Amino acid sequence: MTKTYAMTGGASGIGAALKESLQARGDRVIVVDLKNADIIADLSTVEGRQHAIAGITELATDGLDGFVACAGLPPVAEPLSLITQVNYFAAVATIEGVVDLVAKKNGAIVSVCSNSAPLPGLNEEHIELLLAGKEAEACALIETLDGHNAYAGSKNALTKWTRRNAAEMMRKGVRLNGIAPGMTRTPLTDKVFADETLGDATREFSKCISYGDLATPDMIADAMLFLLDPAARYVSGSILFVDGGQDALLRPDQF
């Protein structure tokens, strides 16, 4: 039986790999992105998020078997507030906007977090502003900080939001989980490696991946397929690290 999924950020990278996997098995995939998508929307704006939700609702009147908030920007994106807007506020808004559609089919939602979320030294005020839903204040603060705080901070907040909201969504029949990819070979990662400020540090950080290499997008997509599948029907509120063992190496006693 054909299933219907929707995702943001499905035009390239990890999202594109997931889309291809779903379509290869005969599923229908509704993609939201800036280009090459079923719904063209700028998720950095409130209007763009509303347009995306309205478009998904129109195309999935019978409900969704799953939704993935995959759209994201790297730590080298400018201005930094764009990272805050897309990585956190757009993810939360679109998940909240489609949860009733997913509930119609007792489906699953996956938020794309990151193994960078637990890294030390993040600005706690920024994270708290995100979790409080104070977009203007969070955007103003992040412009005084740096790309690491913008990216890892937004993913830290999204991870916490996912955990905090999983129980309520489970009561609606919706499984909400997060996936925490490590470094993955995508165009966004290439931009980080090429950056004069973050490139060297990022390459050095990649050396502690136990697997010995960066992930390919299909490796992350395969884990997403599990979280979307009924095989994971008892999994709710989990953050699945798919990072070649990097998080376990860095935080062996934290779980």
Side-chain angles (χ1 to χ4, degrees), residues 115 119-120 205 208 210 243 245-254:
N115 75 337
L119 291 177
F205 186 56
C208 66
S210 304
D243 66 352
Q246 191 175 35
D247 182 67
L249 177 67
L250 296 173
R251 305 185 307 139
D253 297 333
Q254 293 174 278

Side-chain angles (χ1 to χ4, degrees), residues 3-252:
K3 294 185 176 182
T4 300
Y5 296 91
M7 70 169 70
T8 63
S12 63
I14 294 170
L18 177 61
K19 177 187 68 175
E20 290 172 6
S21 294
L22 290 169
Q23 290 177 334
R25 67 186 197 185
D27 293 328
R28 179 188 178 212
V29 185
I30 301 167
V31 173
V32 178
D33 214 314
L34 284 170
K35 59 182 181 180
N36 301 325
D38 302 289
I39 302 165
I40 305 299
D42 180 357
L43 296 176
S44 69
T45 69
V46 172
E47 295 77 16
R49 298 163 203 163
Q50 292 172 340
H51 176 67
I53 295 165
I56 294 171
T57 302
E58 183 178 349
L59 294 174
T61 53
D62 293 332
L64 291 170
D65 293 280
F67 175 75
V68 181
C70 195
L73 294 174
V76 295
E78 294 181 349
L80 294 179
S81 55
L82 276 177
I83 304 171
T84 295
Q85 291 163 333
V86 174
N87 290 13
Y88 181 79
F89 288 104
V92 170
T94 52
I95 289 172
E96 291 180 334
V98 303
V99 65
D100 288 341
L101 290 173
V102 181
K104 285 185 177 182
K105 294 191 174 183
N106 294 112
I109 295 176
V110 178
S111 62
V112 178
C113 304
S114 171
N115 75 337
S116 68
L119 291 177
L122 296 178
N123 185 286
E124 290 298 327
E125 182 183 357
H126 174 238
I127 293 169
E128 288 305 315
L129 287 172
L130 293 172
L131 289 166
K134 297 181 179 180
E135 186 166 357
E137 292 93 330
C139 287
L141 177 59
I142 201 59
E143 291 296 347
T144 70
L145 300 173
D146 52 43
H148 171 64
N149 266 286
Y151 183 80
S154 65
K155 296 299 187 178
N156 180 293
L158 183 59
T159 300
K160 290 175 178 175
W161 183 90
T162 299
R163 293 278 292 169
R164 291 180 184 185
N165 287 273
E168 179 183 352
M169 291 198 183
M170 187 76 263
R171 285 190 284 269
K172 296 180 179 180
V174 174
R175 293 183 295 105
L176 172 63
N177 293 288
I179 192 162
M183 292 187 194
T184 307
R185 295 193 183 281
T186 68
L188 295 185
T189 304
D190 292 341
K191 290 182 180 179
V192 179
F193 282 147
D195 184 73
E196 292 184 2
T197 302
L198 295 177
D200 289 342
T202 303
R203 276 189 290 273
E204 189 65 28
F205 186 56
S206 71
K207 293 179 181 178
C208 66
I209 300 174
S210 304
Y211 184 84
D213 198 0
L214 274 65
T216 54
D218 61 293
M219 291 176 175
I220 312 302
D222 285 346
M224 291 177 171
L225 289 173
F226 166 70
L227 291 177
L228 291 170
D229 195 87
R233 60 192 177 276
Y234 205 61
V235 181
S236 176
S238 291
I239 307 299
L240 177 58
F241 282 81
V242 188
D243 66 352
Q246 191 175 35
D247 182 67
L249 177 67
L250 296 173
R251 305 185 307 139

